[in-house]
Amino acid sequence: MVDLAESGAVSPGHGRHGPGSGSGSGNNGKKTSKKSRTRRGKRGRRRRNKKNNRNNKTPPPYLPPEVASLKLVNPTQYRFEHLATQLKWRLQEGRGEAVYQIGVEDNGLLVGLTEPDMKASLKTLKRMAEKGVQLILVQFLDLRVAVLGNVDSGKSTLLGVLTQGELDNGRGRARLNLFRHLHEIQTGRTSSISFEILGFNSRGEVVNYSESRTAEEICESSSKMITFIDLAGHHKYLKTTIFGLTSYCPDFAMLVVSANTGIAGTTREHLGLAMALKVPIFIVVSKVDLCFRGTVERTVRQLERVLKQPGCNKVPMVVSNPDDAVTAAQQFTQSACITPIFTLSSVSGESLDLLKVFLNILPPLSNSKEQEELMQQLTEFQVDEIYSVPDVGTVVGGTLYSGVCREGERLVVGPTDEGRFLRLKVGSIQRNRSACRVLRAGQAATLALGNFDRSLLRKGMVMVSPKMNPTICCQFEAAIVLLFHAKTFRRGSQVTVHVGNVRQTATVECLHGKDELRTGERAVVRFRFIKHPEYLRLGAKLLFREGVTKGIGHVARLLPPSQNQDQNQIHDQNLQEH
């Protein structure tokens, strides 16, 4: 998708000018002559004239700016080809998306354009876009957004309005289609993880269920997809929320805060989780139709204070118009400290369009080079969900961490409770509820496994290439920081460990160099899983919790099976035929 908005002034065309180009070349000879005469003077005279000599030094070659690059008005054919090639490169780097701002100089100065120049620039940009689409096969862009927030903050209602295309009636009608269980409908509270999609076509228009009957139609009509991961807000389901953040690899997080209650319940905890996992976060203040403007402003000020605290170090950016939304989307991915704040209503629709503009412009975090590097690695698919589908058989859902997965590909899945990896064959693939023949690194999908025994699968497993030598362990070491503990953290403590899609209780075997750990302290800790071995990656982010105890860190060392207490674990190279 191409958004016609990069500066006509940011074209790197100045390289075509040589040092002698422009009007500055005639003055260089005079200044050089004057400088040489000065050097023939006495030393004392040079000192007295030091200031004058500094002013008379030969300046670097002056490269005059190109007027065509500023306004993009009626470029020559050579210049146009250069701009089209530049657009191709930008599309490749942006994975099919590029944002242009016109009327802006290279230094960011807003100079503006006249009405005729504006029309001519937009015409040129349109021709560039058409040429760019012919030059490059634009990839389908898919972003994952985790939806966080306290219970009753309006998360599911907001998603219902965005994805269904109809405003809420004030009593939660918009959220009914999102709930998966009867008790969720009865209480109005999300207890499980659900997924909703919102599309944008190449013109930036919203594509949702208001005009499309099925998810397949939405995917076919869209060039960009936003997959919302609706997570639970109640503290009772916190482990489910953490699993959604660690397992589904969201690109961004949207924290929903009710305008009439402000920061309450799990709001701070959800904010802390997203920051600990380094997921970029933006904030939506909902239900502004239920309170006076002063109440909304008070909630925004409360959020700004929290974001500016030393633990957060964020720069809040309140979005109040479409220009703010475009700027916020661009700066959000360029700077980790920028936190956009939206104030809107799912009932009246106030400022809802600003959030849509933001989501449409929002670029991916990874560029095409990083994507290509991941695709060159061996296949690794993490299993997050397991289903039994009539006439299809066993189906697993998850995210492809690396490599490429195709229909009919043979992989191994594990580890089992005994530490084995089992052979299987991938049947069909579905992505965004549409058939897909090839799955690439970073994409989420469901894979049909035919008559593979579902009882042999569990969440937290991985499906990898038989060429890979997957590292499994019962014990591992992690460099951690204890965020909070009521008393002390010592050997023998049991915590629930979250590493990617792995979630299991582990016992603290030892703390290197320390006997105990208090809030805010760091250490290298050895953990031992109490049930079965797991597949872990070195450097993977780790989060552990038990009651009020919370800590974060990363996996620093994997202990091979020979060093584990469970000596009877079978290494994954002994593949069992299923």
Side-chain angles (χ1 to χ4, degrees), residues 76 78 92 100 106 112 128 131 146 187 196 222 228 270-271 290 316 333-334 447 449 515 530 537 554 565:
T76 64
Y78 176 82
Q92 290 174 334
Y100 275 67
D106 291 342
M128 289 165 53
K131 182 77 172 179
T187 63
E196 298 299 325
S222 303
F228 292 105
H270 285 188
L271 176 63
L290 292 181
T333 54
Q334 296 173 358
L447 312 181
L449 306 181
D515 296 326
I530 67 171
R537 289 187 301 272
H554 66 273
Q565 291 184 359

Side-chain angles (χ1 to χ4, degrees), residues 482-490 493 495 516-520 544-551:
L482 192 63
L483 298 179
F484 181 80
H485 195 286
K487 297 180 181 178
T488 54
F489 186 75
R490 56 169 62 92
S493 300
V495 294
E516 59 184 26
L517 210 60
R518 297 184 180 276
T519 300
F544 62 89
R545 55 174 288 275
E546 186 60 41
V548 295
T549 301
K550 297 180 184 65

Side-chain angles (χ1 to χ4, degrees), residues 13-33:
H14 297 172
R16 294 200 308 269
H17 294 276
S21 65
S23 60
S25 60
N27 294 332
N28 289 346
K30 295 180 180 179
K31 292 179 181 178
T32 304
S33 173

Side-chain angles (χ1 to χ4, degrees), residues 326-459:
V326 173
T327 303
Q330 294 173 320
Q331 295 186 358
F332 183 48
T333 54
Q334 296 173 358
S335 174
C337 63
I338 298 295
T339 304
I341 300 177
F342 299 84
T343 57
L344 53 80
S345 169
S346 298
V347 176
S348 66
E350 178 184 343
S351 298
L352 200 62
D353 287 341
L354 299 183
L355 180 60
K356 294 177 183 177
V357 170
F358 174 80
L359 294 173
N360 177 41
I361 300 295
L362 194 61
L365 290 175
S366 60
N367 56 35
S368 58
K369 183 178 180 180
E370 295 170 345
Q371 180 84 356
E372 286 293 331
E373 290 176 353
L374 282 174
M375 289 171 58
Q376 296 301 320
Q377 300 176 16
L378 292 175
T379 302
E380 180 184 325
F381 181 89
Q382 59 183 38
V383 178
D384 300 331
E385 300 286 345
I386 306 168
Y387 315 95
S388 290
V389 181
D391 301 326
V392 177
T394 303
V395 175
V396 295
T399 304
L400 187 65
Y401 178 80
S402 63
V404 175
C405 183
R406 296 178 174 85
E407 288 183 349
E409 188 162 352
R410 296 186 180 276
L411 304 172
V412 293
V413 62
T416 63
D417 291 350
E418 296 79 24
R420 297 188 178 99
F421 278 73
L422 311 175
R423 297 183 187 274
L424 55 76
K425 180 180 178 181
V426 177
S428 59
I429 303 175
Q430 281 205 348
R431 180 168 173 243
N432 290 318
R433 306 173 195 177
S434 300
C436 173
R437 291 188 177 274
V438 180
L439 189 65
R440 295 175 174 84
Q443 296 178 344
T446 54
L447 312 181
L449 306 181
N451 59 356
F452 191 90
D453 189 354
R454 177 181 174 175
S455 64
L456 298 175
L457 299 172
R458 60 175 172 80
K459 294 181 181 180

